[in-house]
Amino acid sequence: MLKKRKILIPEPKSRFIRVKCNVCGNEQTLFDHATFPVRCLVCGTVIVAPTGGKAKLINAEIVRILG
Ligand SMILES: [Zn+2]
């Protein structure tokens, strides 16, 4: 008897990034495929907008990619 094997390898297409808020300078870590708007924890500015794929940084810049 043949046994079918299905191997699912999750692709590392999403990761965490360290971003810096352009408004207040606060750094925080977030998921780069966010499906909802992310706000700065300090000043409340929306810094990431969901696009359906990779999240778009609005008022922030990437400091470091955490992988
Ligand atoms: Zn801020």
Side-chain angles (χ1 to χ4, degrees), residues 20-26 28 40-45 47 59:
K20 184 178 177 183
C21 173
N22 284 339
V23 179
C24 72
N26 171 55
Q28 66 191 68
C40 172
L41 296 173
V42 173
C43 68
T45 303
I47 53 175
N59 292 306

Side-chain angles (χ1 to χ4, degrees), residues 24-61:
C24 72
N26 171 55
E27 285 186 16
Q28 66 191 68
T29 302
L30 52 89
F31 191 49
D32 87 342
H33 277 63
T35 53
F36 49 87
V38 176
R39 286 175 183 274
C40 172
L41 296 173
V42 173
C43 68
T45 303
V46 175
I47 53 175
V48 174
T51 60
K54 193 173 182 178
K56 186 184 175 193
L57 294 176
I58 306 171
N59 292 306
E61 58 186 67

